[in-house]
Amino acid sequence: MASAIWIGIGQVWAGAVDLLAPGLHAGTAFAERRLLIFVVGALLFWLASILHYLLIAFEASQHAERRAIELSLLTRDAELKALRAQIDPHFLFNSLHSISALTTVDPAAARRMCLLLAEFLRETLRLGANSRISLADEFALADRFLEIERVRLGSRLQVTRETDPQAIACLVPPLLIQPLVENAVVHGVSQLVEGGTIHIAASRGGPTLTIKIENPCDPDRPRRQRAGLGLDLLKKRVVTQFGAEGTVLVEEDAGRFRVEVRIPAEVAA
Amino acid sequence: MSNTRIQTVIVDDEALARGMLREFLAAHADVEIVAECGNGFEAVKVVAEMRPDLLLLDIQMPKLDGFEVLELIGGDVTVVFVTAYDQYAIRAFEVHAVDYLLKPFSAERLAEALDRARARIAAKEKVPEGLVSAGRARHTPLERILIRDRADVHVIPVEKIDYLESQDDYVSVKTAGKSFLKEQTLAELETLLDQDVFVRIHRRYILNIARLSKIELAVKDNRIAILADGTKLPISRSGYARLKELLL
């Protein structure tokens, strides 16, 4: 259709040339070449318009590609930063100190702790490389962490878990829950003289996966001991990945600290 | 011989870490472990009762951290901090710790720390009164007030304080109908508290502004602050000026 319009314009242009030509050169040669001029003109317009559209399409695709790369780099960068922040160096130093202490009194326990620590580190790196892992894998990682902290804190650290199989099969971004468990230990249970129990629950209600982590905490602890950075990072991750469909609820009252994460329930295809 | 041994207290909330110190210290015949504590409260109590020479003190502990323990027990004890955190080193030396051991550490490194402790103890070098709390004072505004009542320790978060009343060299801390005596002057505490929340309304009173319900005009120019719980406190003229500045 557009080409017809172009031909029409071409015809008008050819007509104009035709009208002007005799005024300029007054020869009959132009009249003879009228058809040729018309065809060449029409072809030129065809070519020009095709080139034009091609250029626009090319630019658009390049722009889209660049944007996609930039976006993925940005998210990847944020993800990597988040993941790198996961492993607290003090957790490593304390664990190494525990191993050092165990080597003389209980060499077998020292060896077990070494293996646990290696497994935890390897799994953190391995799982972190995926964009989605099963909640079961995420919980397994948290278990390793808790087992290591159990060596350090002894009976002060207790854990109960309530999960339904449907929830465990859901896919989640890696290291989403592990930092929450870590917070529950570092800012919660380990700050209590008598320790306490961390309660972990996961359930699936229709399209939503809900994960809850609750722990006792010292309501009089100084502000600098409060979890801030880790939770902010988690909220940011949930928002960038799920938009309005993801929520992170944090509340504290009367020595109980609760975090509830709701995200769309995804299952492996 | 026995009375020249260094009476030592180990303070760490982790049993394994305490065990390791015990093991390393066994190689030093002049060191006698007189107590092991699993938290800061215990440490304050034990130090008050036993007056040890040396304290091997963890920093990150439940309830009271190592610095708070030190603030409560004063400067009579030689202290070696033992921690996995390196960010407290400067603060540790400000409160005159003889050494700062980073976990994990070797037996040799502990021996070095003990050498320094021996030298300090032999010189009977006491930390001058006030220096311990001066080191702490850098971390203002205060988040909680620590009060030692013989062997007991009370931790009062500042937001729970209603008001403070001067009683000579002591300050009476009023919170939810109870009062606790702290050995510190009102003027000293005033400089440590958040100036946007705590106002010196009178020579003898500092008020938590969140507790103020209304201000009443009594006789002449005298005003009275009425708190949410009905308590009445006098406001001086300069106190009223400070209050007005904060409220307007």
Side-chain angles (χ1 to χ4, degrees), chain A residues 17 51 60 66-67 87 124 146 158 160-161 180 186 217 247 253-254 269:
Chain A
V17 171
L51 262 171
R66 200 169 44 232
R67 263 190 64 88
I87 300 173
T124 300
L146 288 168
Q158 304 287 337
T160 62
R161 189 183 297 166
L180 292 177
V186 176
C217 61
T247 56
D253 78 297

Side-chain angles (χ1 to χ4, degrees), chain A residues 74-133:
Chain A
L74 223 71
T75 31
R76 187 86 198 124
D77 199 42
E79 286 281 284
L80 275 177
K81 259 188 212 147
L83 296 182
R84 222 176 289 134
Q86 296 305 333
I87 300 173
D88 178 5
H90 303 113
F91 163 70
L92 287 181
F93 291 138
N94 276 320
S95 299
L96 289 169
H97 193 63
S98 297
I99 292 170
S100 173
L102 282 169
T103 42
T104 45
V105 289
D106 189 349
R111 181 170 293 170
R112 204 175 70 85
M113 180 87 163
C114 278
L115 295 176
L116 272 172
L117 195 59
E119 273 173 27
F120 173 76
L121 294 176
R122 194 169 290 130
E123 283 298 278
T124 300
L125 296 173
R126 188 179 71 85
L127 295 176
N130 299 308
S131 66
R132 288 287 185 279
I133 62 169

Side-chain angles (χ1 to χ4, degrees), chain A residues 232-247:
Chain A
D232 286 346
L233 220 64
L234 177 88
K235 281 181 189 165
K236 242 181 243 165
R237 278 185 83 199
V238 168
V239 166
T240 40
Q241 304 226 358
F242 303 105
E245 282 178 281
T247 56

Side-chain angles (χ1 to χ4, degrees), chain A:
Chain A
M1 286 304 114
S3 57
I5 297 164
W6 281 116
I7 289 168
I9 295 167
Q11 260 171 335
V12 171
W13 177 73
V17 171
D18 191 34
L19 275 175
L20 285 170
L24 282 170
H25 297 289
T28 48
F30 282 102
E32 282 160 22
R33 289 179 199 156
R34 192 184 290 165
L35 188 71
L36 185 72
I37 289 169
F38 168 75
V39 170
V40 168
L43 271 174
L44 270 172
F45 271 97
W46 265 92
L47 233 96
S49 61
I50 284 168
L51 262 171
H52 183 68
Y53 281 113
L54 265 175
L55 217 73
I56 287 176
F58 182 67
E59 257 179 25
S61 84
Q62 256 200 336
H63 188 67
E65 209 176 319
R66 200 169 44 232
R67 263 190 64 88
I69 291 170
E70 271 172 12
L71 211 74
S72 78
L73 272 180
L74 223 71
T75 31
R76 187 86 198 124
D77 199 42
E79 286 281 284
L80 275 177
K81 259 188 212 147
L83 296 182
R84 222 176 289 134
Q86 296 305 333
I87 300 173
D88 178 5
H90 303 113
F91 163 70
L92 287 181
F93 291 138
N94 276 320
S95 299
L96 289 169
H97 193 63
S98 297
I99 292 170
S100 173
L102 282 169
T103 42
T104 45
V105 289
D106 189 349
R111 181 170 293 170
R112 204 175 70 85
M113 180 87 163
C114 278
L115 295 176
L116 272 172
L117 195 59
E119 273 173 27
F120 173 76
L121 294 176
R122 194 169 290 130
E123 283 298 278
T124 300
L125 296 173
R126 188 179 71 85
L127 295 176
N130 299 308
S131 66
R132 288 287 185 279
I133 62 169
S134 73
L135 188 58
D137 280 348
E138 180 76 18
F139 275 163
L141 183 73
D143 279 345
R144 288 210 175 83
F145 173 80
L146 288 168
E147 226 177 311
I148 294 168
E149 290 293 67
R150 235 350 243 289
V151 173
R152 206 162 65 83
L153 299 170
S155 58
R156 278 166 67 202
L157 174 59
Q158 304 287 337
V159 182
T160 62
R161 189 183 297 166
E162 215 177 300
T163 50
D164 80 51
Q166 271 198 309
I168 283 293
C170 285
L171 296 178
V172 295
L175 309 187
L176 189 75
I177 303 310
Q178 151 59 23
L180 292 177
V181 174
E182 201 168 322
N183 272 346
V185 175
V186 176
H187 300 287
V189 171
S190 77
Q191 295 302 315
L192 294 167
V193 172
E194 64 287 359
T197 304
I198 298 174
H199 187 67
I200 303 171
S203 61
R204 186 182 166 178
T208 309
L209 171 67
T210 307
I211 301 150
K212 287 184 207 170
I213 292 174
E214 193 180 330
N215 62 273
C217 61
D218 177 6
D220 295 339
R221 68 194 183 283
R223 252 158 283 163
R224 70 192 116 90
Q225 294 254 328
R226 287 163 201 248
L229 203 67
L231 277 173
D232 286 346
L233 220 64
L234 177 88
K235 281 181 189 165
K236 242 181 243 165
R237 278 185 83 199
V238 168
V239 166
T240 40
Q241 304 226 358
F242 303 105
E245 282 178 281
T247 56
V248 178
L249 218 93
V250 181
E251 52 176 15
E252 181 187 340
D253 78 297
R256 304 291 305 172
F257 192 81
R258 270 181 291 269
V259 182
E260 191 178 301
V261 180
R262 283 167 189 268
I263 57 172
E266 284 174 40
V267 202

Side-chain angles (χ1 to χ4, degrees), chain A residues 224, chain B residues 65 67-68 71 91 94-95 131-140 142-144 146 192:
Chain A
R224 70 192 116 90
Chain B
D65 69 29
F67 291 105
E68 290 171 330
E71 185 196 335
R91 213 175 137 198
E94 277 171 8
V95 296
L131 261 182
V132 173
S133 49
R136 161 111 195 146
R138 297 173 65 93
H139 299 266
T140 51
L142 223 53
E143 290 184 356
R144 29 194 225 171
L146 308 171
L192 301 178

